[in-house]
Amino acid sequence: MRPEVRTVLHDPSSTFSYVVWDPDTRHAAVIDPALDFDPASGYTGTDTPQKLIDIVEAEALTVDWILETHAHADHISAAPFVRERVGNPPVAIGEGIRTVQERFRSLYNLERGFLPDGSQFDHLFADGETFTVGNIEARAIHTPGHTSDHVTYVIGDAAFVGDSLFMPDAGTARCDFPGGDAATLYRSVHRLFDELPDETRMFILHDYGPNGRERKNETTVGEQRQRNKHVGEGISEAEYAEMRTERDRTLDMPTLIIESVQVNIRAGHFPPAESNGTVYLKMPIDAFPKNH
Ligand SMILES: [Fe+2]
């Protein structure tokens, strides 16, 4: 029950995407693939997600799943690009995506054909739902707080926690996006601490290299429980919620939040082309919800 794990770093957003596979059957999942995107020019690129496909091909893997931990707000998903090139496996996310779609459909005034029912994805995971990657048992655990739809995927002895936790010395992700909540995040993280053995490998989605250290992406449940500087041992829910809320008030919005959310709630598909054949993204003026 120990999958192989390989990572690809999307440098501009410090996102770690993953290829995870059962070494016996060579069946795999790709988690949180990131697309290259230059907001200054509007050009997309595929150099980074191509590295995931290169791993799949070099290791002769069969991809069973493309898994999104949540509707990301700092990078655009490369799920459609990867899916087409690895045999069209299902793209999945947590069922909480419906609420996120509903929230943003009105903000972006999306076209009538956009339904907030999750149908843009091939599968929506319920909390606790089990699945397999080859012969390895896996399950989805709803871990809201950073976003309301957030899911942690536990595949064998490896947990892919998305933005539920950062490395122990970096703490946790912000909780001030629409649908986010610090106390909820604390409870989600402590549920992981309660349900997963200390030796569980933990793979995180982002690391910005605090205090000049090199960027890292792997820790364990035990290390997080003991040493996570925001939610580790000895820190109460109330203390955390106060600290997180105070800190979030000082943070700027992520560079790509406006662009990425309107693509990621469509499972990484851009909006339909307009009558001239060109695809556009919208910029709501004085309207994007924020806590400060
Ligand atoms: Fe995120």
Side-chain angles (χ1 to χ4, degrees), residues 254-277:
T255 314
L256 283 185
I257 189 168
I258 303 282
E259 295 89 340
S260 61
V261 170
Q262 61 192 296
V263 178
N264 293 339
I265 60 173
R266 299 174 188 267
H269 292 284
F270 281 75
E274 297 198 3
S275 56
N276 63 357

Side-chain angles (χ1 to χ4, degrees), residues 45-61:
T46 55
D47 288 352
T48 305
Q50 181 61 44
K51 293 176 188 169
L52 297 164
I53 295 162
D54 291 346
I55 294 169
V56 168
E57 292 178 351
E59 298 290 341
L61 305 176

Side-chain angles (χ1 to χ4, degrees), residues 70 72-73 146 163 206:
H70 62 296
H72 310 282
H146 168 65
D163 287 345
H206 295 298

Side-chain angles (χ1 to χ4, degrees), residues 165-199:
L165 284 155
F166 286 162
M167 291 298 286
D169 62 346
T172 58
R174 62 196 300 170
C175 295
D176 62 334
F177 296 156
D181 180 69
T184 303
L185 182 80
Y186 184 94
R187 288 194 286 273
S188 291
V189 167
H190 279 262
R191 180 179 171 199
L192 294 181
F193 291 169
D194 291 343
E195 291 190 11
L196 301 178
D198 273 357
E199 60 274 18

Side-chain angles (χ1 to χ4, degrees), residues 1-5 20-25 130-139 154-160 197 199-201 203:
M1 288 303 194
R2 186 177 169 88
E4 296 281 343
V5 179
V20 189
W21 70 93
D22 171 9
D24 293 336
T25 63
T130 57
F131 61 105
T132 56
V133 176
N135 290 335
I136 297 182
E137 290 171 11
R139 74 187 149 121
V154 180
I155 303 174
D157 78 333
F160 298 86
E199 60 274 18
T200 307
R201 293 181 288 164
F203 295 91

